[in-house]
Every structure is written in C-alpha cells, then in structure tokens.
C-alpha cells in the first residue's frame, strides 16, 4: 500500500496539483484500501477534523495576522531602523543589520516568508546601493529569514508541538539558542564578505540618532516582551500570547502610529483568512494521512528497512535532519512536518530522545530546506517580491547552506545549545 500511495502522490505532484490534493487523495486511498463496509469518507473527515481541533492551532492565524498588520504598518520599519542605527556603521554593517533585523522581526512574526518581505523590501535597495552583490543580498535575506522559524514565536514549532504532543512553551525557548548562533555565524560571514569585497561602511549614527531610533522602536519592542515575558512569566499560554499580539498590533498601528485605517483591517484579515484556510486544510489532510500510515505500520516498515532502529540517538538525529532537509527542498514545510513527524515519533521514543531537542532540530532543518533549491518556498517568495530570475536568487546560497549545516551538526553533538535555556526555565 505504501508504494501505491507514494505513486499516487508523485503523479499528482508532477501533474501540477497543489500539495493538499495529493495529501487528500493519498489519505483517501489508504482509507479505501484498509476498510470495507464503513463510510470511508465520513471516517476520513473525522480524522481531518481531529487534526485541526487542538486549541493550540489558534495561535497560527493569530501570529500570521499580527505579522501582516506590522508589515503593512510602521512597526517593522521602526525595528529595522533601530538595528541600522546601532550596527550599520561596522564593516559589513548593512548585511549584519539585515540578519539582526530578520532575527528581531522573527521574534514577532514566526514566519520565514513574512520576514523575507518585511526585511528584504526596505533593506535590499540599500545594500545594492552600498555596493553589495545582488546574489549575496538575496541569499542573505532568504537564509537569515530562517532565524524567524527558530526564534519564538515559530509557526513550525506550533505545528510540531501539536502533532507530537510536545510543550510549545518549551519548544519556543529551545529555539532561542540555535537562532542566536545562526545570527552570529551569518554576521561573521557578512563581515568577512564585506572586507574581502571592499564594501564601504555606512556613516556612523550619532547617539542622538540612536536615542531617537530607540524612542521610535519602544512600542514595537513590546511584541517580544508580550510573547516571551507573557509566556514564561506565567501570564499567557502561547495561544493567548498570539491573541494579545494581534490586539497590541491593532492598538499600535491604528491608534498610536495611525499608519493604518479601520478600512485597512478587512483586506489584512482577508489575506490572513486565505493563508489560514490553506494551512488548516493541509493540517487536516496531514492528520488523516498520518493516521493511515500509522494504522498500516508504514513508519515501522520504512525505518526498519533503512536500519534506523539499530542506530543510536545521534544516528537517529542525523537521519531526521537529512529527511526533513530533503523534504523541504521539494515540499511546503508544514506538509513535511505533518507527514514525517508521525513516522519518526516511534523511533524517537525508542531511543529516549528529548522531543524538544528533536523539535528544534526539525524546525531548523525545515527552515534550511525552505531556503534551498530546487523548490524551497522562500526562494519563490523572493522571486515574487524582488522580481528576479530563479538563478539570480539561488546563486549565492551555497556559503549560507554550509553555515546552516555547521549549526545543524553543532546542535546534534552539543544539544545544550537548544536545551540550556529550556532547562533553566522549566527544570
């Protein structure tokens, strides 16, 4: 049955159908093959509804809506300007500022694609004017957006937490260490690149300009305070923190900055609704598909065939990293999480791996795959936003992929990079 399901999905993908169609039809074929004498469609719909029932999933549209409001308002630009005023003058300062801005925006959006748009749109023209090569600029923006998937809130971590029944609060705090390590590595490479290429530095901002930028960014800096402080201070659950972020974004952009009108809320909400509908259809289809493959013991057969059950913890983590990295090179990250996490859950439990560590590694690999050819979703976001050819967008990606691979290996061999803050907060 596994071969037939895989064949159906591959044929539909090659025929150009969106990913939700192969998932749904693959799941339906599984129900059709496994059961007789029952209403297969009703049973499948029950599994789909069960997949989208967890209350934690409400955080996903909330964070998407908050990020959309910020991007269309002034909050995103104020955060970017704050970073520029403090580190824009160092060697490679514009590039370092771009990576830092991706990190900061990731702390309020949780989405790599939103970060590509919010940070890349204002900073790419400035970097080109300063003398950076466009292939480097595009690669930096795409790969630095990976940090947004690790720094809380992370939509990928929410989906993983729901599927694997892992604490989302613990996942959020575990993403901070790897995210900051990526920022340091990207910043170091940017400084080396600027030095070798002879890119001139930006004028150093005065302390008056820095204080003015800090004053402008005080309100937007409330977002990470709400998310991190609220969750770990015991005030909010992750879902409640997401709702609070939406309210805070509305107050800022409508009443404080007055950058948006009430009439702007409808198109923003409509955009969020469309994205949420797609995400939840994928989650529901993935839940049904996961139930089928679990019931048919397909995960055990696949993992047994490649000998994963004979590996130690580090070997299992390496296999998980490779599987998710390759998967996201071709398919949407949410789909990969939905399909592969249930496959690996049994072996993760068998070797007593920390599910929070596994979730952090999976999130990192998903983010890397999203920025890697041939079909990483962030690549196509950059193509659409910056209107550049495919080859121009991917030309400078390789050095960043090497850095990401280094951080991935470091996370496997030194798990405390992710678990130190988690243990400090929860143990």
């Amino acid at each position: 049955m596994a071969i037939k399901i895989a064949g159906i999905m591959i044929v539909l993908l090659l025929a150009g159908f969106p990913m939700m169609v192969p998932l749904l039809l693959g799941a339906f074929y599984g129900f059709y093959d496994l059961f007789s004498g029952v209403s297969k469609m009703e049973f499948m719909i029950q599994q789909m509804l069960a997949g989208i029932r967890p209350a934690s999933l409400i955080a996903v549209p909330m964070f998407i809506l908050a990020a959309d409001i910020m991007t269309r308002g002034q909050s995103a630009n104020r955060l970017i300007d704050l970073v520029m005023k403090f580190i824009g003058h160092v060697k490679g300062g514009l590039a370092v500022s771009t990576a830092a801005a991706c990190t900061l925006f990731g702390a309020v959006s949780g989405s790599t694609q939103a970060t590509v748009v919010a940070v890349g749109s204002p900073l790419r023209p400035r970097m080109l004017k300063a003398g950076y090569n466009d292939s480097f600029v595009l690669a930096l923006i795409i790969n630095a957006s990976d940090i947004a998937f690790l720094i809380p809130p992370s939509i990928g971590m929410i989906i993983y937490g729901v599927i694997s029944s892992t604490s989302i609060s613990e996942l959020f705090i575990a993403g901070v260490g790897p995210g900051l390590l990526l920022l340091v590595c990207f910043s170091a490479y940017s400084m080396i690149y600027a030095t070798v290429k002879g890119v001139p530095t930006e004028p150093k901002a005065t302390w008056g300009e820095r204080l003015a930028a800090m004053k402008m960014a005080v309100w937007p800096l409330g977002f990470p305070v709400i998310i991190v402080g609220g969750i770990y201070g015991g005030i909010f659950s992750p879902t409640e923190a997401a709702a609070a972020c939406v309210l805070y974004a509305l107050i800022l952009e409508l009443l404080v900055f007055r950058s948006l009108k009430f009439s702007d809320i409808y198109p923003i909400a409509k955009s969020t609704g469309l994205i949420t509908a797609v995400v939840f259809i994928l989650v529901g289809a993935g839940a049904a598909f996961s139930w089928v493959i679990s019931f048919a013991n397909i995960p055990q057969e696949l993992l047994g065939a490649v000998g994963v059950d004979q590996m130690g913890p580090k070997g299992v983590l390496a296999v998980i990293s490779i599987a998710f990295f390759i998967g996201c090179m071709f398919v949407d990250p949410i789909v990969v999480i939905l399909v592969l996490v249930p496959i690996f859950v049994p072996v993760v439990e068998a070797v007593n791996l920390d599910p929070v560590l596994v979730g952090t590694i999976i999130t990192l690999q998903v983010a890397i795959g999203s920025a890697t050819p041939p079909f990483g979703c962030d690549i196509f976001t950059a193509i659409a936003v910056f209107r550049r050819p495919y080859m121009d967008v991917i030309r400078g990606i390789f050095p960043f992929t090497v850095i990401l691979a280094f951080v991935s290996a470091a996370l496997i061999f030194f798990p405390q990079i992710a678990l130190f803050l988690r243990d400090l907060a929860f143990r």
Side-chain angles (χ1 to χ4, degrees):
M1 185 178 71
I3 295 175
K4 291 180 180 178
I5 290 176
I8 290 171
M9 296 179 69
I10 291 171
V11 168
L12 290 171
L13 282 174
L14 293 177
F17 286 92
M19 189 61 207
M20 68 180 71
V21 176
L23 264 182
L24 286 169
L25 291 182
F28 181 73
Y29 176 81
F31 280 100
Y32 179 83
D33 190 64
L34 287 171
F35 301 104
S36 61
V38 297
S39 177
K40 303 174 183 64
M41 184 59 73
E42 289 183 11
F43 194 17
M44 177 174 167
I45 291 173
Q46 287 176 1
Q47 296 302 321
M48 292 180 65
L49 292 176
I52 62 174
R53 191 171 293 135
S56 300
L57 285 175
I58 298 173
V60 174
M62 291 293 183
F63 282 127
I64 293 173
L65 179 57
D68 206 355
I69 294 170
M70 288 177 56
T71 304
R72 301 198 192 192
Q74 292 184 9
S75 296
N77 286 330
R78 290 183 180 221
L79 290 174
I80 293 170
D81 190 57
L82 173 66
V83 174
M84 286 294 303
K85 287 293 188 278
F86 275 88
I87 58 178
H89 64 281
V90 302
K91 198 66 176 177
L94 261 176
V96 175
S97 298
T98 299
C102 286
T103 304
L104 197 55
F105 189 76
V108 295
S109 72
S111 167
T112 59
Q113 290 164 291
T115 304
V116 169
V117 176
V119 177
S121 297
L123 285 182
R124 177 173 170 264
R126 293 182 64 170
M127 292 185 70
L128 294 177
K129 186 176 180 181
Y132 288 91
N133 185 280
D134 197 22
S135 61
F136 170 82
V137 175
L138 292 169
L140 174 65
I141 292 169
I142 292 170
N143 286 276
S145 69
D146 291 347
I147 303 173
F149 226 50
L150 288 164
I151 296 290
S154 166
I155 293 173
M157 284 183 170
I158 294 172
I159 302 294
Y160 169 84
V162 169
I163 296 171
S164 64
S165 301
T166 303
S167 167
I168 295 174
S169 297
E170 292 189 28
L171 287 167
F172 277 2
I173 198 72
V176 173
L180 294 179
L181 178 59
L182 275 180
L183 172 60
V184 170
C185 292
F186 285 163
S187 299
Y189 173 65
S190 297
M191 295 172 73
I192 294 170
Y193 176 92
T195 301
V196 172
K197 298 294 184 180
V199 178
T201 58
E202 292 279 298
K204 186 175 181 179
T206 65
W207 275 105
E209 292 173 328
R210 291 176 178 176
L211 290 173
M214 289 178 64
K215 183 178 179 181
M216 295 287 284
V218 165
W219 288 106
L221 287 172
F223 284 101
V225 173
I226 290 173
I227 297 167
V228 178
I231 292 174
Y232 302 109
I235 302 171
F236 300 129
S237 69
T239 303
E240 292 166 344
C245 278
V246 173
L247 178 61
Y248 189 64
L250 288 171
I251 292 172
L252 285 191
E253 304 299 349
L254 290 175
L255 303 178
V256 179
F257 301 152
R258 298 187 179 182
S259 57
L260 297 177
K261 301 177 182 178
F262 281 97
S263 59
D264 296 322
I265 302 304
Y266 174 74
I268 293 174
K270 182 180 178 181
S271 172
T272 299
L274 291 172
I275 296 171
T276 301
V278 173
V279 170
F280 273 55
I281 291 172
L282 287 172
V283 171
F289 184 82
S290 298
W291 191 93
V292 167
I293 63 174
S294 297
F295 188 85
N297 289 323
I298 293 175
Q300 290 80 355
E301 293 176 7
L302 288 175
L303 296 176
V306 297
V308 174
D309 53 348
Q310 305 298 321
M311 297 179 180
K314 287 184 172 58
V316 171
L317 289 176
V319 171
I320 290 174
S321 298
I322 294 169
F324 278 86
F325 170 70
I326 293 175
C328 286
M329 290 169 61
F330 298 94
V331 183
D332 184 90
I334 292 176
V335 175
V336 176
I337 293 173
L338 291 169
V339 173
L340 292 186
V341 167
I343 292 177
F344 283 103
V345 164
V347 71
V348 167
E349 294 175 348
V351 296
N352 295 317
L353 280 169
D354 190 322
V356 173
L357 173 63
V358 174
T360 307
I361 290 175
I362 286 175
T363 303
L364 175 58
Q365 296 306 320
V366 164
I368 298 171
S370 300
T372 305
F375 302 121
C377 62
D378 290 342
I379 294 173
F380 292 96
T381 300
I383 290 171
V385 172
F386 305 127
R387 299 180 181 179
R388 298 300 303 163
Y390 179 84
M391 291 306 299
D392 286 359
V393 172
I394 68 170
R395 187 170 290 120
I397 282 177
F398 179 73
F400 293 96
T401 304
V402 173
I403 293 172
L404 288 161
F406 164 76
V407 174
S408 299
L411 202 53
I412 292 174
F413 288 97
F414 304 100
Q416 285 304 310
I417 294 173
L419 299 180
F420 173 75
L421 288 176
R422 190 284 304 271
D423 293 344
L424 202 62
F426 292 95
R427 297 292 186 265

